Amino acid sequence: MPHHSDASPWVRRFAPLVPRGGPVLDVACGEGRHCRLFRDLGHPVTGIDRDIADTRADGAELIGADMETDAGWPLDGRQFAGIIVTNYLWRPLLPAIRAALAAGGVLIYETFAHGNEAFGPPRNPDFLLASGELLQACSDLTIVAYEHGIRDGRAVIQRICAVNGPGPFALS
């Protein structure tokens, strides 16, 4: 199996918690690095982004949609065993993302936080998480792991892994 060194270490760390064979959604999938990771782990994968022209994820369902417009979330009613979000924040989508997480499903979220403006983009507070914001957004889930801090001396990030159901869970 490919090494997937381009996948986020945070996502790779918690990928085994996603129920085996369950569908996975990659929100703002970009070039498809996490679509490929989960596809290779045996999951049916859906990737969504504003522009999917550069997304490389053979075998994945790819949806081109601007989730920040009035059209909004195109996946109403669909449920996923895993939802991955990296380097993306659009607060109005948080309830839709949460609603799409199936019972027993795993949310793996990692993006920029306040303080990142000292390191580079994004600098707009609309795209930077406040301290504890992911914890608050996931308050009805079982928190497996949470971190907030400076990554590699280059960015301030906040990340969480949370499960829609009771714990505890076997950690690798």
Side-chain angles (χ1 to χ4, degrees), residues 2-97:
H3 178 56
H4 296 288
S5 59
D6 60 339
S8 157
W10 185 257
V11 174
R12 286 195 321 261
R13 177 180 172 190
F14 295 107
L17 289 182
V18 176
R20 187 178 305 255
V24 171
L25 173 64
D26 186 355
V27 177
C29 64
E31 294 181 357
R33 62 189 177 143
H34 297 120
C35 289
R36 293 188 300 273
L37 169 68
F38 283 94
R39 176 203 61 206
D40 290 350
L41 291 171
H43 296 274
V45 176
T46 300
I48 185 169
D49 208 322
R50 178 183 358 228
D51 182 3
I52 57 171
D54 294 328
T55 304
R56 297 179 324 277
D58 292 343
E61 172 191 15
L62 298 177
I63 300 171
D66 186 345
M67 298 171 286
E68 299 173 19
T69 65
D70 291 338
W73 186 251
L75 299 166
D76 282 342
R78 291 186 59 185
Q79 296 268 288
F80 297 89
I83 299 179
I84 313 307
V85 188
T86 59
N87 302 331
Y88 180 75
L89 176 63
W90 185 249
R91 286 177 180 89
L93 280 185
L94 290 174
I97 291 169

